[in-house]
Amino acid sequence: MSGKPQYDETAVIEAAMQVFWRHGYAAASINDLTAATGLSRSSIYQRFRDKEGLFQHAVARYTERVLRRMDKVEGETARGRVAALLRDFLPKASAAPRPAGCMLARSSAEQADLPEGARGAVMQGVAGQHAVFVRLLAQGVQDGELPADADVDTLAWYYLGILHAIMNLPQAGATPAAMAGMADIAMAAWPAKA
């Protein structure tokens, strides 16, 4: 026996990610995770230490995926890329079935129920999302699209908040048209140069 896992770890983490994304950390039971992953409790504990360890791997996978999607959005200008990024996450009827909303936003909302290591993984993921906007906005300052004294950090949080709303409010009944309108309003708030 080689001691290597006799399962596809990537598929296991993907399945666990779907469970945590759909139910949240606190409501996701070990039984949910064993059913989704096909692993026994002992296999989960042997490989991932515990539910929190598996959650950290799932958050890392989700973060990698969402940051890659955010980074690949194209536009002629920094402003164009921010607008394209917001529009890329608008609800689409043809989207592949997946849990609704943003796993990082959902996990941020349940911070009080997360163990310390899990909290750290979520905070790192959100910081990565924020950093994408910081880079785009800093490029906007450098290219003269934004005033030299623009508060890039605050603007990055603003646009990340809009992105999280676009991803999460459809669950509460917001229509795709309303979310597209929200993206338009957010872009109208782009600070003008004096």
Side-chain angles (χ1 to χ4, degrees):
M1 194 91 177
S2 67
K4 290 184 179 179
Q6 301 300 309
Y7 54 84
D8 180 345
E9 186 168 290
T10 299
V12 165
I13 293 170
E14 181 73 24
M17 181 183 75
Q18 298 289 320
V19 171
F20 288 123
W21 191 351
R22 182 169 283 111
H23 299 291
Y25 177 83
S29 71
I30 289 293
N31 287 341
D32 293 330
L33 294 166
T34 58
T37 63
L39 295 183
S40 66
R41 285 174 177 258
S42 63
S43 292
I44 288 175
Y45 286 112
Q46 283 175 350
R47 171 57 188 94
F48 300 102
R49 191 185 74 241
D50 54 17
K51 174 179 156 179
E52 180 187 1
L54 183 53
F55 177 79
Q56 288 174 304
H57 282 279
V59 167
R61 173 66 46 81
Y62 179 87
T63 298
E64 176 188 329
R65 178 180 294 169
V66 77
L67 293 182
R68 186 172 51 245
R69 182 175 172 187
M70 290 174 73
D71 279 330
K72 78 175 186 178
V73 172
E74 296 180 1
E76 296 291 319
T77 62
R79 187 180 191 282
R81 283 191 65 200
V82 170
L85 196 162
L86 296 178
R87 292 200 164 278
D88 188 61
F89 282 86
L90 289 171
K92 297 169 187 68
S94 62
R98 62 171 181 76
C102 173
M103 183 180 178
L104 291 171
R106 176 187 189 116
S107 299
S108 292
E110 69 171 335
Q111 287 278 342
D113 295 323
L114 296 179
E116 186 176 344
R119 257 193 320 271
V122 171
M123 297 296 284
Q124 185 176 351
V126 173
Q129 290 181 306
H130 177 258
V132 171
F133 283 107
V134 166
R135 285 193 302 274
L136 291 173
L137 294 161
Q139 187 66 49
V141 171
Q142 183 179 329
D143 293 346
E145 294 178 65
L146 285 169
D149 63 349
D151 186 345
V152 168
D153 183 65
T154 300
L155 282 169
W157 284 117
Y158 170 73
Y159 285 111
L160 178 55
I162 297 298
L163 177 63
H164 280 187
I166 285 170
M167 294 170 75
N168 291 297
L169 289 179
Q171 298 174 79
T175 65
M179 294 297 89
M182 178 183 278
D184 291 341
I185 291 167
M187 294 316 301
W190 184 272
K193 286 188 69 178

